[in-house]
Amino acid sequence: MSTQAWSREELVRAEALARGLSSAAPVFAVRAPGRVNLIGEHTDYSGLPVLPIAIDRSTVAVVSARSDRAIQLANADPAYPARSFALAPEIPPYPPGDWANYVKAAVQGVLTHFSARGIPIDRFLGATFVIDGRVPAAAGLSSSAALTVASALGLMAVNGLELSPREAAAMVARSEWYVGTMAGGMDQAVSLMARQDHAVLIEFNPLRATEVPMPAGAAVVVADSLEVADKSGRVREEYNRRVVECSLAARILGRAFGIDGATILGDIVNQLGNWRADDIVQTLTAIIPERFTGGIAQAAEFLEIPEPELRSALLGEGAARSTLDESRPLECLRRARHVLSETERVHRAVKALSEGRLDEMGGLMDESHRSLRDDFEVSTERLDRMVECARRAGAYGARLTGAGFGGCMIALADAAKSPAILAALERDYYATLAPDAAARALHATMRAGPGASLIRLR
Ligand code: GLA
């Protein structure tokens, strides 16, 4: 196992954490990075491609085996209290918002994966983890995925189990479903499969990654809006709502095109082979109302299937059923227009980036932002302001990145221009929020970093 992916600073952090582990068992250290997405937003849960990079902020954890079946968690940040839980076939989550739910999600994922492959859960050893997360939380940089990935790799290591990065990514892809978010697999996949100085085109069903070199001289500027996207509350509801709206659009298109069993927009695109977003949207426009004001009941009538059937297909069953405010209309048309046009943009972006056409890449990012703002309705007034500010200061393009509703903005620029963009953000955005806002907010030029890695410390 090599320390190649590790920065000096991460190794020092790991050594410091390991001093808190007295166990005689082998001690492993794992690093898992956060991510920013260059383009391909809100497409992953439709099974459509994304193009993120890993960032140089990571979660570092040290871990060693226990003789009992407990998972013991300590966190270097006192905001996250110690936790302990037992390995079990069905691990009950902590109340919503508890940090350790992301570890539970990982543990559940590992146990389910390996027990389905003949390794019974009672053969697993417990583990003691000491965790130090440095991906800013609640900023849309996937601090939760970094924690989940680190936990999964750690638990596997102490049990002598290994998977390729791709297999591990597929295993933890749906981990956020454990905390009630119907998220796609982008965050975990890039955390595991990223490569230094490369963006990663991630495609789904089956999961695969293609590296796209970042052009020399291109700078990725990332800036936190300081608007907190609280994933356990309103934002989760809004997110899940988009998942439902997209799935509904896919089912309707499936019926229109005679594609049996289509449940996500990716099913439509894959079956059609040769397609254009405009044409599909036109088909949709011709058959569905602008929006469904009568909720799932109206959509079921439209699809001519029983309402309870559609309801459980879209929202899940029993305790895992997610809630949906049906007094608000379902916006299938505009959501599909975003996802399909965004998918075209991802493919064009891969070409533009590989051929070093940063201007074109920037234009695609601008279009992506407009589509997320107008059709997907996940931007905020503040994110719009930041994006404008970065553009005025000379970026090739800028957009919100991540789920939206707050979190971060990303801009693409010539390396020579990034200091001016950061300065403009300080002057025209942060200074208007609070005198100390710039000091509190992550805003920096970021280099595409390597994916997760595990080493044995002693
Ligand atoms: C969150 C989810 C991802 C993805 C993005 C939006 O980050 O965790 O799976 O859906 O939102 O692109």
Side-chain angles (χ1 to χ4, degrees):
M1 282 176 274
S2 107
T3 55
Q4 220 184 356
W6 292 69
S7 69
R8 266 233 65 66
E9 178 257 354
E10 286 170 335
L11 286 170
V12 170
R13 276 160 69 197
E15 293 291 350
L17 295 176
R19 286 197 279 280
L21 281 180
S22 51
S23 151
V27 174
F28 299 92
V30 48
R31 70 173 291 283
R35 62 99 187 90
V36 280
N37 191 10
L38 298 182
I39 197 159
E41 213 66 85
H42 284 281
T43 47
D44 61 351
Y45 50 79
S46 288
L48 290 165
V50 294
L51 187 65
I53 61 173
I55 57 175
D56 62 1
R57 315 280 159 127
S58 63
T59 288
V60 168
V62 293
V63 56
S64 66
R66 300 173 59 84
S67 49
D68 61 12
R69 297 169 37 76
I71 300 290
Q72 286 253 330
L73 308 175
N75 198 305
D77 183 340
Y80 304 110
R83 291 280 181 258
S84 172
F85 60 91
L87 297 177
E90 301 266 338
I91 301 167
Y94 291 115
D98 196 299
W99 74 277
N101 275 337
Y102 294 104
V103 181
K104 283 191 165 181
V107 172
Q108 183 73 70
V110 170
L111 296 182
T112 308
H113 177 91
F114 285 99
S115 62
R117 283 158 186 78
I119 302 182
I121 290 177
D122 55 20
R123 289 252 296 276
F124 272 82
L125 295 174
T128 302
F129 284 88
V130 190
I131 296 161
D132 174 22
R134 300 279 174 94
V135 183
L141 296 173
S142 291
S143 57
S144 54
L147 175 57
T148 301
V149 166
S151 310
L153 295 183
L155 180 63
M156 287 192 313
V158 300
N159 282 286
L161 299 167
E162 233 183 302
L163 288 176
S164 72
R166 205 191 59 79
E167 289 167 326
M171 178 182 73
V172 293
R174 283 280 157 104
S175 56
E176 302 230 346
W177 285 53
Y178 184 88
V179 296
T181 305
M182 297 152 106
M186 161 168 68
D187 310 339
Q188 298 80 4
V190 63
S191 184
L192 279 152
M193 300 195 283
R195 171 160 169 216
Q196 175 99 49
D197 295 324
H198 288 68
V200 197
L201 171 69
I202 298 169
E203 297 169 281
F204 302 92
N205 310 318
L207 181 65
R208 54 211 190 272
T210 311
E211 296 162 355
V212 182
M214 287 299 287
V220 170
V221 175
V222 178
D224 185 0
S225 66
L226 289 179
E227 202 167 1
V228 173
D230 165 25
K231 278 217 317 202
S232 55
R234 186 184 72 88
V235 173
R236 184 173 72 193
E237 255 178 68
E238 288 294 335
Y239 185 97
N240 288 351
R241 182 175 198 85
R242 303 296 184 280
V243 177
V244 167
E245 289 168 327
C246 291
S247 176
L248 212 43
R251 287 161 201 268
I252 291 163
L253 283 166
R255 192 156 170 268
F257 290 128
I259 299 170
D260 275 350
T263 57
I264 50 175
L265 287 166
D267 293 337
I268 303 298
V269 164
N270 291 340
Q271 280 296 317
L272 291 180
N274 227 335
W275 60 278
R276 287 187 26 213
D278 277 352
D279 296 339
I280 301 182
V281 171
Q282 237 176 41
T283 303
L284 203 53
T285 311
I287 51 178
I288 59 166
E290 173 86 22
R291 50 183 62 86
F292 289 108
T293 47
I296 293 182
Q298 188 192 0
E301 209 170 292
F302 189 85
L303 282 164
E304 296 176 321
I305 54 176
E307 183 190 332
E309 191 184 304
L310 184 61
R311 194 169 286 283
S312 57
L314 292 172
L315 300 177
E317 287 283 9
R321 171 166 290 194
S322 45
T323 53
L324 181 76
D325 172 6
E326 292 183 57
S327 67
R328 286 168 57 196
L330 293 167
E331 302 274 355
C332 296
L333 192 61
R334 289 193 292 157
R335 306 300 188 241
R337 187 160 61 202
H338 164 72
V339 173
L340 296 167
S341 63
E342 185 78 350
T343 300
E344 286 182 339
R345 284 188 287 275
V346 172
H347 293 303
R348 283 159 60 196
V350 168
K351 261 188 130 267
L353 214 54
S354 338
E355 290 162 14
R357 283 180 275 116
L358 295 181
D359 209 14
E360 187 181 334
M361 177 69 195
L364 292 166
M365 291 168 74
D366 288 346
E367 273 178 45
S368 168
H369 184 78
R370 277 194 293 275
S371 177
L372 287 162
R373 182 192 64 196
D374 302 336
D375 274 346
F376 224 67
E377 297 180 289
V378 295
S379 190
T380 63
E381 181 264 330
R382 283 206 202 173
L383 285 166
D384 294 345
R385 263 173 57 204
M386 295 181 91
V387 159
E388 271 315 307
C389 174
R391 282 190 201 129
R392 269 200 315 272
Y396 286 118
R399 53 185 290 278
L400 72 87
T401 184
F405 304 104
C408 281
M409 176 221 63
I410 181 173
L412 183 74
D414 259 337
K417 286 210 174 121
S418 68
I421 293 170
L422 292 167
L425 286 167
E426 286 177 14
R427 191 184 58 233
D428 300 335
Y429 179 70
Y430 292 122
T432 65
L433 297 184
D436 66 339
R440 283 188 284 126
L442 166 80
H443 57 298
T445 302
M446 286 193 181
R447 180 172 175 199
S453 114
L454 182 121
I455 50 174
R456 182 165 167 182
L457 280 187
R458 62 172 195 246

